[in-house]
C-alpha cells in the first residue's frame, strides 16, 4: 500500500521555471539543461521502481516515496522506504549506465561509461549506509521497537553491468537490478519472520514519517548564483512563449501574436513561488506580472488557491504546495 506517493520533484519544476525565465543566451542555460536531463532520468528510474513495487503482495507492506527527514545534525533523504511489522527497507535508485565497478578493498566506486571513459563517483553503498544509520537513530529517538533495517541500491538501467573487485564480496546483497526487487523483498521477509510492530505501532510510525517529511526550500537562484533581476518578469503567452501579455478588459492579450487568455497569470505566479519566494504580496506580484492596478492584482491573487494572512497592505499570500499543480502546461 502506498502511504506517500511520489510527485514530480519540485527541483525539476524549479529548474524548468528558471530555464524558461532566463534569456536563451544566458551563460547558465547549458548547466541548467544538463542538470534537468539528469534529474528527469533519475525521476524516470524512480518511476520504474514504482512500477515493479506494484507486484508486491497487497496489504503486506507500507510504501513511502521520497521522504526527507531531519536527522540529529542534518536532513536525510530516501527515494523509497518499505515498512512491514517484520523489517524496514531503504531503497535507493541509481540510474548509472555502462559498467559499475565496486572495489571492496579500496572502498572505491567507479563507472566505465559507453565511451569507455572511467569516472569516479561517490560510493552509493556508503551513502545508503549513512541513511540507514540516520533512520535507525530517528526511529530510536521516537521510541519505536527496534526492527531490522535493511537497505538496497537498485540499478534502474537493465543493461548496466555490475562488477565487484576484491576479496570481500559483501556488496552482492546490497546492489541489485530493478527486476529483482520483488524477489529480494520477499527474501528479506523469509529471514525476518517475527512480527516486531503491532498494527497500531505501524500506523503511528507511518503517520509520523509522513508528518515529518520536510521538502527542501533551497533557492534555485542561490544554487546557480543568479540574481533576481536576471529573471524575466511579465506574463508569458502560452501560444508564442513571449513575455508580452498585457491586461486588457479582464483578460490577458499578447502584443506579439494577439492570443488572449483569462488565466495566463497563473503560471507566472507559480514561477514566482518556484524561483523567488514561497509567499507574495500585492506589490511584489504587481512588479512581477508588470501590472499597474493593485485592484486587478488583488482579484488575481484571490482567485488562486493561496493562503492569505495579514490585512490590507501587509497582506501576504502563501503557497500551499500540496494544493497547487505546478506542472507546466505544454
Ligand atoms: Zn503570443
Amino acid at each position: 500500500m502506498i502511504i506517500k506517493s511520489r510527485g514530480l520533484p519540485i527541483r525539476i519544476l524549479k529548474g524548468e521555471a528558471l530555464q524558461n525565465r532566463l534569456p536563451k543566451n544566458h551563460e547558465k542555460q547549458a548547466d541548467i539543461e544538463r542538470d534537468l536531463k539528469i534529474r528527469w532520468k533519475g525521476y524516470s528510474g524512480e518511476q520504474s521502481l514504482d512500477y515493479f513495487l506494484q507486484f508486491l503482495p497487497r496489504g503486506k507492506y507500507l510504501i513511502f516515496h521520497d521522504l526527507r527527514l531531519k536527522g540529529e545534525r542534518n536532513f536525510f533523504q530516501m527515494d523509497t522506504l518499505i515498512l512491514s511489522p517484520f523489517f524496514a527497507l531503504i531503497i535507493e535508485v541509481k540510474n548509472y549506465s555502462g559498467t559499475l565497478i565496486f572495489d571492496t578493498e579500496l572502498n572505491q566506486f567507479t563507472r566505465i561509461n559507453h565511451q569507455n571513459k572511467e569516472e569516479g563517483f561517490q560510493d552509493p553503498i556508503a551513502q545508503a549506509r549513512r541513511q540507514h544509520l540516520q533512520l535507525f537513530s530517528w526511529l530510536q529517538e521516537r521510541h519505536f521497537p527496534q526492527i531490522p533495517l535493511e537497505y538496497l541500491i537498485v540499478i534502474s538501467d537493465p543493461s548496466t553491468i555490475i562488477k565487484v573487485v576484491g576479496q570481500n564480496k559483501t556488496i552482492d546483497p546490497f546492489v541489485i537490478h530493478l527486476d529483482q526487487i520483488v524477489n529480494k523483498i520477499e527474501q528479506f521477509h523469509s529471514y525476518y519472520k517475527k512480527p516486531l510492530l503491532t498494527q497500531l505501532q505501524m500506523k503511528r510510525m507511518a503517520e509520523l514519517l509522513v508528518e515529518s517529511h520536510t521538502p527542501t526550500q533551497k533557492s534555485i537562484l542561490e544554487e546557480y548564483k543568479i540574481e533576481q533581476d536576471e529573471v524575466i518578469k511579465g506574463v508569458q503567452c502560452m501560444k508564442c512563449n513571449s513575455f508580452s501579455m498585457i491586461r486588457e478588459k479582464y483578460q490577458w492579450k499578447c502584443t506579439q501574436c494577439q492570443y488572449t487568455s483569462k488565466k495566463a497569470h497563473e503560471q507566472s505566479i507559480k514561477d514566482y513561488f518556484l524561483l523567488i519566494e514561497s509567499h507574495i504580496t500585492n506589490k511584489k506580484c504587481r512588479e512581477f506580472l508588470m501590472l499597474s492596478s493593485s485592484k486587478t492584482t488583488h482579484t488575481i491573487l484571490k482567485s488562486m488557491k493561496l493562503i492569505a494572512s495579514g490585512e490590507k497592505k501587509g497582506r501576504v499570500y502563501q503557497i500551499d504546495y500540496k494544493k497547487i499543480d505546478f506542472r507546466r502546461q505544454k
Side-chain angles (χ1 to χ4, degrees):
M1 186 167 55
I2 298 175
I3 304 296
K4 184 180 174 297
S5 56
R6 193 189 307 284
L8 184 57
I10 197 93
R11 180 57 183 70
I12 288 185
L13 295 163
K14 286 184 177 184
E16 287 188 340
L18 183 60
Q19 188 177 41
N20 187 47
R21 282 202 178 251
L22 282 184
K24 295 275 170 278
N25 57 359
H26 192 281
E27 50 169 12
K28 298 280 167 65
Q29 282 286 15
D31 291 349
I32 300 167
E33 172 75 17
R34 198 176 317 116
D35 175 77
L36 271 172
K37 266 196 187 143
I38 296 171
R39 286 179 193 271
W40 271 112
K41 211 174 150 207
Y43 179 55
S44 114
E46 289 163 6
Q47 282 181 310
S48 319
L49 168 72
D50 303 352
Y51 169 79
F52 280 98
L53 292 181
Q54 291 180 84
F55 300 106
L56 281 174
R58 268 176 177 264
K60 219 164 151 184
Y61 303 98
L62 303 185
I63 304 172
F64 305 81
H65 291 305
D66 182 31
L67 275 178
R68 186 171 177 268
L69 304 176
K70 176 110 175 56
E72 262 170 63
R73 279 183 219 105
N74 37 34
F75 282 95
F76 63 103
Q77 197 157 358
M78 292 167 285
D79 287 343
T80 296
L81 175 70
I82 295 198
L83 186 65
S84 80
F86 312 91
F87 70 98
L89 168 68
I90 300 171
I91 305 174
E92 276 306 299
V93 186
K94 296 289 176 198
N95 56 6
Y96 305 123
S97 52
T99 303
L100 309 180
I101 303 167
F102 292 87
D103 187 326
T104 57
E105 267 159 44
L106 297 173
N107 276 328
Q108 198 170 269
F109 170 65
T110 43
R111 178 183 86 134
I112 300 171
N113 69 15
H114 295 305
Q115 286 80 41
N116 237 351
K117 223 178 102 193
E118 199 174 315
E119 300 164 284
F121 273 100
Q122 200 192 15
D123 180 359
I125 300 180
Q127 186 200 350
R129 276 192 193 128
R130 277 196 301 274
Q131 287 167 341
H132 175 266
L133 286 173
Q134 280 169 300
L135 181 63
F136 187 83
S137 10
W138 194 92
L139 292 171
Q140 220 173 22
E141 273 167 35
R142 281 148 191 90
H143 311 290
F144 284 108
Q146 240 183 60
I147 52 166
L149 194 51
E150 294 283 352
Y151 60 87
L152 277 179
I153 290 142
V154 170
I155 307 295
S156 58
D157 185 343
S159 65
T160 302
I161 299 161
I162 306 167
K163 275 189 183 166
V164 185
V165 189
Q167 293 295 317
N168 182 358
K169 299 269 164 119
T170 50
I171 79 132
D172 284 354
F174 304 122
V175 186
I176 59 163
H177 273 119
L178 193 53
D179 55 358
Q180 297 166 47
I181 188 71
V182 172
N183 287 344
K184 194 75 193 176
I185 295 173
E186 288 291 274
Q187 210 179 327
F188 283 128
H189 190 44
S190 65
Y191 307 144
Y192 302 120
K193 289 198 178 89
K194 197 174 152 210
L196 299 161
L197 294 174
T198 62
Q199 284 303 318
L200 189 67
Q201 283 166 330
M202 284 269 283
K203 193 172 168 264
R204 264 191 48 221
M205 200 187 273
E207 281 168 0
L208 205 58
L209 284 164
V210 174
E211 268 168 35
S212 311
H213 168 66
T214 318
T216 172
Q217 293 294 333
K218 213 170 148 195
S219 151
I220 192 159
L221 295 185
E222 268 172 41
E223 195 185 319
Y224 281 103
K225 300 199 168 47
I226 292 172
E227 296 298 325
Q228 233 186 78
D229 56 18
E230 293 175 72
V231 173
I232 304 171
K233 289 192 182 72
V235 174
Q236 188 172 28
C237 170
M238 286 131 110
K239 204 170 168 207
C240 74
N241 288 332
S242 65
F243 291 88
S244 36
M245 292 208 110
I246 51 161
R247 188 80 178 171
E248 216 180 70
K249 293 180 196 141
Y250 304 103
Q251 62 177 6
W252 296 94
K253 189 178 172 194
C254 178
T255 54
Q256 297 287 319
C257 75
Q258 316 305 315
Y259 176 74
T260 56
S261 157
K262 281 201 162 70
K263 291 187 165 179
H265 56 269
E266 288 184 0
Q267 187 59 55
S268 302
I269 295 174
K270 289 176 195 173
D271 284 349
Y272 184 92
F273 289 130
L274 291 169
L275 299 175
I276 318 282
E277 275 176 316
S278 57
H279 51 86
I280 196 166
T281 58
N282 185 302
K283 186 170 177 275
K284 285 190 172 167
C285 183
R286 229 155 57 210
E287 282 167 11
F288 196 69
L289 302 186
M290 305 214 287
L291 269 171
S292 50
S293 153
S294 73
K295 204 168 155 245
T296 309
T297 311
H298 177 78
T299 316
I300 279 175
L301 284 168
K302 246 183 102 180
S303 73
M304 291 185 73
K305 291 169 191 154
L306 304 171
I307 309 158
S309 59
E311 289 302 320
K312 292 185 181 163
K313 280 196 173 163
R315 181 159 270 230
V316 170
Y317 299 84
Q318 202 93 26
I319 178 80
D320 184 347
Y321 282 98
K322 286 184 195 114
K323 275 201 185 140
I324 289 193
D325 183 2
F326 274 99
R327 274 168 299 186
R328 302 193 88 75
Q329 312 287 331
K330 288 203 173 140

